[in-house]
Amino acid sequence: MKGIIQLANNKQYTGQWHGDVTHCKGQVIFYTGMGNFLEFMTDPETKGKIVVATYPGILDSHFDPSKFESDDLQLTALIIQQELFVQSEREKNWLAFFKEKGIPIMSGMDTRTIIKQLLKDGEISAKMTADHHKLEPKFDDQKSTSHEKTKVLNPTGKTNLVVLNFGIKKSLLAWLKGFHCKLTILSAETSASTIAELKPDGVIFSGGSGHPADYQQYFEDYAKVAKSYPTIAFGLGHQILALAFGANVEKMKWGHRGFKQATYHTSTQQVYLTNQNHGYHISLQNLEETGFKPSFLSVQDGDIEGLIHKDFPIATYQFHPDGTNFKLESLIKDAYFQQLEQSKGEKLYAEAK
């Protein structure tokens, strides 16, 4: 049947509606990647987004659940240029999967025009509906992300790391498991005192979806934790820690989304391709007052992609390790383990005194 998407600026576009769900809403973002489609659609940071995918024939891509970044599809709806009147076997599989998850697809769309509109006005909210339904009703938001409860991985590891889960990606979890450390995964709402009871050697803030200010009530705890243990943070966690130390976060006109976002390391001037999916960024304004300084910057627009603190062993990254960039991920891991070793040495010295 026919479908309509109406942007917040009242621009409307029509296409073919597929799926039993007859209406939805969300922020419209675009994905120009020619690969990693499954990873992007299941990334927790895509939660609640209407995704405009530009690559032709994207629903002919291979369906491999082992590449999922979470246990489910995270997007609200998918918009594609691809016509689906004559379906291949793969197209049928994709349509059945989206239908099973209650996520509509609009095909035959003028994705180029929509993206030109987004480039002009920025990523904005929109409503989607099947043609015989009205656009006016207030649509219910998707259920909020349910963060994993306490879980312990590699329980015999000699180094004890606490992971605060804001919506952790499976690839990041797999990378962390490769540390062969004990990993205690906790809810993002865990207090500093509860974390202290676990006597961690270090703390990791995961990525996730939403605005970092949503966690403002926990900022004092987050800052206390980060000052107490060697800490690294990724994605949303990077933004949350920056805010907790007094930095400013701003909405980007359009986000960095894809697995080949070029960043350069300010110390070595080396350029790396990184995996990113975010619509907010850290502002340079008043950053110096927080004690942080940039460690990575975007080649594309100069945005902050990483931070290090001058007084505490804290390093944050806007991008995510996913096991595909050995040189960059070794740099992150080696720097963190050096901080862990130095911290252990300081503790041993203090106990000896």
Side-chain angles (χ1 to χ4, degrees):
M1 71 185 106
K2 184 179 178 182
I4 302 171
I5 179 170
Q6 178 175 303
L7 304 183
N9 60 9
N10 293 322
K11 297 285 185 180
Q12 289 191 6
Y13 305 91
T14 60
Q16 290 300 121
W17 186 280
H18 306 270
D20 295 333
V21 175
T22 56
H23 57 257
C24 63
K25 68 175 182 178
Q27 185 183 41
V28 185
I29 65 174
F30 55 89
Y31 182 68
T32 59
M34 297 170 64
N36 285 41
F37 177 61
L38 266 175
E39 291 89 333
F40 187 80
M41 297 299 147
T42 56
D43 184 344
E45 294 188 28
T46 309
K47 183 75 174 179
K49 303 292 194 301
I50 296 173
V51 176
V52 181
T54 63
Y55 186 62
I58 201 162
L59 293 189
D60 288 313
S61 58
H62 183 57
F63 184 81
D64 183 0
S66 69
K67 294 183 178 180
F68 281 17
E69 287 286 11
S70 63
D71 292 329
D72 212 342
L73 285 171
Q74 298 292 336
L75 71 168
T76 295
L78 177 66
I79 294 174
I80 56 175
Q81 185 180 26
Q82 182 175 353
E83 297 282 0
L84 298 179
F85 299 121
V86 179
Q87 299 169 11
S88 68
E89 197 61 36
R90 283 186 174 177
E91 287 174 349
K92 290 179 181 178
N93 290 339
W94 276 109
L95 283 172
F97 183 56
F98 271 75
K99 184 176 181 179
E100 176 190 343
K101 300 300 181 180
I103 298 171
I105 297 174
M106 280 181 63
S107 65
M109 299 289 288
D110 186 356
T111 55
R112 182 174 182 270
T113 299
I114 296 174
I115 290 177
K116 285 177 69 176
Q117 191 67 49
L118 296 179
L119 291 174
K120 177 183 176 183
D121 294 341
E123 295 174 347
I124 56 179
S125 60
K127 296 177 181 179
M128 282 177 53
T129 183
D131 188 43
H132 61 280
H133 288 262
K134 295 181 179 180
L135 282 165
E136 287 78 14
K138 292 183 178 180
F139 303 144
D140 295 330
D141 290 327
Q142 284 192 333
K143 57 185 178 180
S144 58
T145 302
S146 178
H147 297 144
E148 194 173 359
K149 294 183 179 180
T150 302
K151 184 177 181 179
V152 178
L153 303 175
N154 298 342
T156 59
K158 294 182 179 179
T159 301
N160 180 23
L161 301 180
V162 162
V163 182
L164 289 179
N165 182 12
F166 297 90
I168 194 166
K169 294 167 63 170
K170 287 187 175 182
S171 60
L172 177 59
L173 195 57
W175 184 70
L176 294 174
K177 286 169 69 176
F179 289 7
H180 303 295
C181 298
K182 178 182 178 181
L183 300 174
T184 303
I185 303 169
L186 302 175
S187 164
E189 294 80 14
T190 305
S191 67
S193 59
T194 299
I195 293 172
E197 290 174 4
L198 298 174
K199 298 181 178 180
D201 295 304
V203 176
I204 298 165
F205 285 62
S206 84
S209 62
H211 195 295
D214 294 342
Y215 295 88
Q216 187 170 2
Q217 61 181 309
Y218 306 106
F219 282 178
E220 185 176 345
D221 281 289
Y222 295 156
K224 184 177 181 180
V225 167
K227 291 176 181 178
S228 302
Y229 313 99
T231 300
I232 52 175
F234 302 98
L236 180 67
H238 151 84
Q239 298 170 8
I240 286 173
L241 266 188
L243 276 180
F245 277 77
N248 297 312
V249 171
E250 301 171 340
K251 188 178 186 302
M252 304 168 70
K253 190 170 184 180
W254 53 83
H256 291 172
R257 308 188 190 279
F259 58 100
K260 289 187 177 180
Q261 296 288 325
T263 65
Y264 70 90
H265 190 211
T266 56
S267 295
T268 64
Q269 299 300 301
Q270 290 287 314
V271 175
Y272 299 94
L273 295 180
T274 61
N275 188 348
Q276 299 183 30
N277 184 10
H278 63 101
Y280 298 93
H281 65 167
I282 308 299
S283 170
L284 280 168
Q285 183 181 1
N286 301 326
L287 183 64
E288 189 174 343
E289 298 173 13
T290 69
F292 280 113
K293 66 177 183 179
S295 58
F296 286 87
L297 295 171
S298 169
V299 172
Q300 174 185 343
D301 52 24
D303 277 352
I304 296 172
E305 305 289 6
L307 295 168
I308 53 174
H309 202 279
K310 65 179 182 180
D311 298 321
F312 302 101
I314 306 170
T316 71
Y317 308 93
Q318 184 61 77
F319 47 87
H320 285 80
D322 57 10
T324 61
N325 192 328
F326 177 78
K327 188 175 180 180
L328 175 60
E329 292 165 12
S330 294
L331 179 70
I332 296 171
K333 179 181 176 181
D334 292 346
Y336 188 50
F337 271 78
Q338 184 178 359
Q339 294 284 6
L340 289 172
E341 290 301 317
Q342 289 177 355
S343 177
K344 284 184 178 181
E346 289 173 3
K347 291 176 182 178
L348 289 171
Y349 177 71
E351 289 172 3
K353 289 179 67 178

